[in-house]
Amino acid sequence: MKRPSIAACVLLLACALFLGGCQKEEHEATGEPSPAVLSAFVARFPDAREVSWGKIHAYDVAVFSFATPQRHTAWYAPGNGACALTEIELTAEQLALEAPAVLESWRTSPYYAAGCRPDEIDRLTYADREPVYRLGVACPEAARQFTYAADGMLLSDKEHREGPGDVTRIQPCPQALLDFADTHYPGAVIADFEIEDRQGVLYYEVEIFHADERKELLFDANYTFLVCVAGIEEPEQLPEPVLETLLALAPDTGAWEALSRYENYKGIVAAYVLKVEDRAAGRERLFKTDPAGNPIE
């Protein structure tokens, strides 16, 4: 059996580390922010009501409403007053008027047919980029979170994980990570951003849609790029030697849950990974190969 390279091991270890729970956010109540931030907020949201300000990770965060009782948030970077993120809560009726393709895409999904219904709809705008629409959906098995582009393209579909005592909150993506995505993945749509806390070690995860693929970019706490994980929709998209090896390792394709490709920002592949549901053991297993189809322990 061929031993994996050091680079492949580092990539796999990095990806394993970021699968932990979400970081808990604390909102520190404060008075009004700097004049630059306050001026930018008033210019952007002149009709805002019931505005309260706080600080999270040095960002000035406004919580506010309009004529309706929904509560919205806007995050402003410290110092320059630039808006890093807005989260605007929508009703289904507002979504139908603003982004009908999103509503149509959701209503033709298998989850809608199975009786799942959104209990939260938000329009997210990262640093004045094109908005995306996030649907928090209640399903019988587990809550899920779907993110769509305005044209109805599904950008992200994932189980909504929330442990005891966790506070799940959307967060702005640091400008350095947005710049990295612009440089190496031009035209990418930012679908989501998360801070992962693994035993006190922070990792940053930027979820993008680029070149018709869903990808997750992983960075360390210093914003150093670690790995890109690209989702693979169908087994037939795998290289033939990789598919043959994975079929030999896990012949029950009905238990296959997810396929992914680990690569650097230049698109050089380090490994292919298959996640399988081990029904007998009641847990998930990972099978890995290098690009030539050699298993990786």
Side-chain angles (χ1 to χ4, degrees), residues 20-24 161 166-168 194-197:
C22 295
Q23 183 188 28
K24 184 185 293 186
R161 305 185 308 273
D166 284 349
V167 177
T168 302
E194 291 182 357
I195 299 176
E196 301 288 347
D197 186 343

Side-chain angles (χ1 to χ4, degrees), residues 1-2 44 105 123 128 138 142 160 167 169 187 226 243 245 264-265 294:
M1 180 181 297
K2 182 178 178 181
R44 189 183 186 104
S105 182
R123 183 212 313 140
D128 291 324
H160 179 66
V167 177
R169 190 195 304 274
L226 298 175
L243 180 58
T245 299
N264 66 13
Y265 62 82
N294 299 296

Side-chain angles (χ1 to χ4, degrees), residues 29-89:
T30 65
E32 287 189 350
S34 69
V37 168
L38 189 58
S39 176
F41 174 79
V42 172
R44 189 183 186 104
F45 302 107
D47 300 328
R49 305 178 179 183
E50 300 176 322
V51 182
S52 62
W53 287 92
K55 275 195 180 296
I56 303 177
H57 297 312
Y59 288 92
D60 289 305
V61 183
V63 181
F64 59 99
S65 62
F66 295 124
T68 55
Q70 297 128 299
R71 299 295 278 170
H72 318 291
T73 58
W75 299 61
Y76 288 84
N80 60 9
C83 187
L85 172 70
T86 61
E87 179 183 17
I88 305 299
E89 185 179 344

